[in-house]
Amino acid sequence: MSLNPRKKAILALSDGTVVHGRAIGHDGITGGELCFNTSMTGYQEIFTDPSYFGQLMMMTYPHIGNYGTQPRDDEARKVMVAGVICRAFSDEYSNPMADRSLQEYLEDNEITGISGVDTRMLVRHIREQGVMNAVISSTELDEKKLVEMAKNWDDMEGLELATKVTRSEAQTVNGKDEFRVAAFDYGIKQNIINNLNKRGCTLRIFPAKTSADEIKEWEADGYFFSNGPGDPTATAEYALEAVNYAKSTGKPMFGICLGHQLMALSEGLKTTKMFVGHRGANQPVKNLATGLVEISTQNHGFAVDEDSLDEKIADVTHINLNDGTIEGLKFKNFPGFSVQYHPEASPGPHDSAYLFDQFIDMMKEQK
């Protein structure tokens, strides 16, 4: 059931900026780090991406909800964003494959949102001032209270969130069983699992906090470290046990996003919080080995610190052409590589899907 379109809602930023709009989704109050995504499609995949856990997602494409939702587009078991912000929200949808509207989907997942706001203005504001916390409310409409609430919201820096989105116990997901891959779930996306399955991998997916002894029993041909939310240095406090064990086996290793950062941290490199993160389906990345440019999907607010790079530890394989940040590493002390962006992107682009083949080729060579 849709909310009254005239119902008021407020978005309050921690720097005192306040905008008014109309309520969408679940009636209530929510908050988190305000970020934006520039993708034109794929809002359901974005909302269910565990890497966005605890964040308010602002879509820069103005028309959201027009093709509804369907279970096949979920990247996780539930919606992961803390709230939704958009310019124009559609209660009706035209996709014959959809099973419900985005309004119903947000209500069912108890996600509060706001529409009818000037997202272009807000994006410019964040680009100039840097990422900050915010609160969305359709119940409490006192601006001063909401701004104060945003100021007191937990900062993403130093926050450990992977344990909030990981599975509770290890799970085997069968492929053709040509390769046995130990995958670590810090917020693993369904399409990563799909990409490895269709390439002949049977996965044993382990929770974020798993001991080396339990990993050892699986006798994997390779190790995969997934994407996930939060500060990588906080996750590293427990996750490096698994990374270091995988390194000791001499088997191929592949990391995406948070997994990329954890592999770098395990080698003594550092990560840093970005002024404004990369989030969208149109980020240009240059492959330094081939010289080709890939259009990539990205979702990260932290990056490997270029100043900490040591040529004895790793070579940079990919860079972001917008700001020159590190997008890929090939490690020298163990057979592993990692990327900051998302080669499994759903709905796309798929320029970087070859990275999964690269991982498979490494396991083939070892077998």
Side-chain angles (χ1 to χ4, degrees), residues 167 169-175 177 179-183 193 197 201-207 214 218:
R167 61 201 62 214
E169 59 185 21
Q171 177 187 10
T172 300
V173 182
N174 292 306
D177 211 18
F179 306 98
R180 292 163 60 88
V181 173
I193 298 171
N197 274 165
C201 297
T202 288
L203 276 62
R204 182 67 171 170
I205 307 175
F206 293 100
E214 186 178 351
W218 175 240

Side-chain angles (χ1 to χ4, degrees), residues 195-244:
N195 269 277
L196 290 168
N197 274 165
K198 74 180 184 181
R199 287 171 170 81
C201 297
T202 288
L203 276 62
R204 182 67 171 170
I205 307 175
F206 293 100
K209 288 187 175 181
T210 301
S211 68
D213 289 338
E214 186 178 351
I215 301 164
K216 187 176 182 181
E217 292 177 3
W218 175 240
E219 297 182 352
D221 298 315
Y223 296 87
F224 175 80
F225 298 89
S226 83
N227 60 291
D231 189 330
T233 57
T235 311
E237 292 180 7
Y238 60 83
L240 290 193
E241 179 183 354
V243 178
N244 289 330

Side-chain angles (χ1 to χ4, degrees), residues 134-152:
V135 166
I136 302 170
S137 176
S138 58
T139 53
E140 173 61 67
L141 299 179
D142 186 308
E143 295 183 4
K144 290 183 178 179
K145 286 183 180 179
L146 295 175
V147 169
E148 195 63 28
M149 195 180 297
K151 288 179 180 178
N152 293 325

Side-chain angles (χ1 to χ4, degrees), residues 341-354:
Y341 56 101
H342 286 268
E344 83 291 343
S346 177
H350 303 134
D351 297 19
S352 308
Y354 68 89

Side-chain angles (χ1 to χ4, degrees), residues 52-348:
Y52 283 124
F53 183 84
Q55 293 177 301
L56 301 180
M57 174 49 58
M58 177 165 58
M59 302 300 296
T60 64
Y61 189 71
H63 198 186
I64 302 299
N66 55 309
Y67 58 82
T69 66
Q70 55 181 326
R72 62 183 282 184
D73 288 339
D74 283 340
E75 286 288 354
R77 301 173 296 282
K78 62 179 182 179
V79 174
M80 293 291 179
V81 296
V84 174
I85 302 152
C86 64
R87 178 64 181 259
F89 186 82
S90 177
D91 288 300
E92 299 179 354
Y93 59 93
S94 57
N95 181 6
M97 293 188 294
D99 66 346
R100 53 185 161 167
S101 69
L102 181 56
Q103 171 64 28
E104 293 168 325
Y105 184 77
L106 295 176
E107 284 182 349
D108 291 344
N109 284 275
E110 298 186 352
I111 302 299
T112 299
I114 183 172
S115 69
V117 301
D118 188 346
T119 53
R120 290 181 298 178
M121 177 275 291
L122 287 168
V123 167
R124 285 196 298 268
H125 184 69
I126 293 172
R127 285 194 183 278
E128 292 169 0
Q129 303 300 321
V131 67
M132 66 185 74
N133 290 338
V135 166
I136 302 170
S137 176
S138 58
T139 53
E140 173 61 67
L141 299 179
D142 186 308
E143 295 183 4
K144 290 183 178 179
K145 286 183 180 179
L146 295 175
V147 169
E148 195 63 28
M149 195 180 297
K151 288 179 180 178
N152 293 325
W153 212 272
D154 288 338
D155 287 330
M156 192 62 70
E157 194 162 7
L159 209 55
E160 190 284 311
L161 293 175
T163 53
K164 306 288 187 183
V165 299
T166 190
R167 61 201 62 214
S168 58
E169 59 185 21
Q171 177 187 10
T172 300
V173 182
N174 292 306
K176 295 179 181 178
D177 211 18
E178 295 175 27
F179 306 98
R180 292 163 60 88
V181 173
F184 297 89
D185 178 14
Y186 308 115
I188 193 168
K189 292 171 65 179
Q190 182 59 44
N191 209 39
I192 289 175
I193 298 171
N194 296 344
N195 269 277
L196 290 168
N197 274 165
K198 74 180 184 181
R199 287 171 170 81
C201 297
T202 288
L203 276 62
R204 182 67 171 170
I205 307 175
F206 293 100
K209 288 187 175 181
T210 301
S211 68
D213 289 338
E214 186 178 351
I215 301 164
K216 187 176 182 181
E217 292 177 3
W218 175 240
E219 297 182 352
D221 298 315
Y223 296 87
F224 175 80
F225 298 89
S226 83
N227 60 291
D231 189 330
T233 57
T235 311
E237 292 180 7
Y238 60 83
L240 290 193
E241 179 183 354
V243 178
N244 289 330
Y245 170 75
K247 285 158 60 174
S248 73
T249 68
K251 299 291 180 64
M253 295 169 60
F254 179 24
I256 289 175
C257 203
L258 178 59
H260 156 80
Q261 295 160 355
L262 291 173
M263 288 170 68
L265 287 168
S266 77
E267 287 290 280
L269 304 183
K270 296 179 180 179
T271 57
T272 184
K273 183 81 164 66
M274 303 174 74
F275 185 69
V276 177
H278 296 165
R279 297 180 176 94
N282 55 359
Q283 291 276 340
V285 168
K286 184 175 183 180
N287 183 324
L288 299 182
T290 64
L292 298 176
V293 175
E294 305 161 21
I295 302 303
S296 69
T297 286
Q298 300 197 14
N299 169 18
H300 62 103
F302 293 82
V304 173
D305 187 350
E306 187 178 0
D307 292 338
S308 71
L309 196 64
D310 186 334
E311 61 181 15
K312 295 178 182 178
I313 292 174
D315 288 329
V316 176
T317 57
H318 300 75
I319 60 169
N320 189 292
L321 291 180
N322 285 335
D323 61 10
T325 52
I326 294 172
E327 295 287 358
L329 293 170
K330 181 179 180 181
F331 295 91
K332 295 186 175 180
N333 298 323
F334 60 93
F337 69 100
S338 61
V339 289
Q340 183 65 78
Y341 56 101
H342 286 268
E344 83 291 343
S346 177

